[in-house]
Amino acid sequence: MKYVFWGIVTVVVLGVVVVGGGAYWLANIEVDFKDPQMVGKFTETYGKNCVATYQKQLTKAGTPPTEEQLTGAEAACKCARDPVIAALAKRPVMTVSELAGTMASDPEILAITKSCSEAAGIAAPQ
């Protein structure tokens, strides 16, 4: 029984180390928008992540998105992708955590996304 207990404790400790270490590693990966390979990966995922974020915000606000809103979100995200990447390329290398903060608070990026949202006929979720 003693060995089973220590085995379980070992598995739990290893799980915490792996999950915690993985999260720490992921949050501290550096991203450089002057690197073409990084830009390529970001370009591939931006649209899907952008629409998913819009969908989550609407759902959190208590209104599930309509098909029309999702189509508008896709158009807005497509419009914003390249200007957002250009804006990020002006900045120094940052971590994934810093990137998330920049995307959420940078005035230039917020102006780009607002302009594209308005052009696509969608309002930002409150």
Side-chain angles (χ1 to χ4, degrees):
M1 188 67 171
K2 182 168 118 177
Y3 295 112
V4 171
F5 172 74
W6 285 112
I8 291 171
V9 168
T10 302
V11 169
V12 169
V13 168
L14 286 174
V16 168
V17 168
V18 169
V19 171
Y24 177 81
W25 177 78
L26 182 63
N28 290 296
I29 293 174
E30 291 189 341
V31 290
D32 180 3
F33 283 91
K34 293 170 190 71
D35 176 7
Q37 189 175 20
M38 171 61 214
V39 170
K41 288 179 184 177
F42 189 81
T43 301
E44 288 176 21
T45 61
Y46 182 83
K48 186 173 27 171
N49 291 339
C50 177
V51 172
T53 299
Y54 182 77
Q55 191 171 6
K56 284 179 191 174
Q57 288 175 338
L58 280 177
T59 303
K60 186 177 178 181
T63 56
T66 64
E67 206 51 47
E68 183 179 284
Q69 287 173 315
L70 291 177
T71 301
E74 287 176 18
C77 292
K78 185 176 181 181
C79 164
R81 184 189 68 205
D82 292 339
V84 165
I85 291 171
L88 290 169
K90 297 176 193 174
R91 288 162 180 73
V93 176
M94 60 185 101
T95 65
V96 173
S97 298
E98 291 168 334
L99 173 61
T102 299
M103 294 288 291
S105 65
D106 183 77
E108 181 181 8
I109 292 173
L110 293 175
I112 291 166
T113 56
K114 180 180 179 191
S115 166
C116 287
S117 294
E118 289 172 355
I122 60 172
Q126 299 301 323

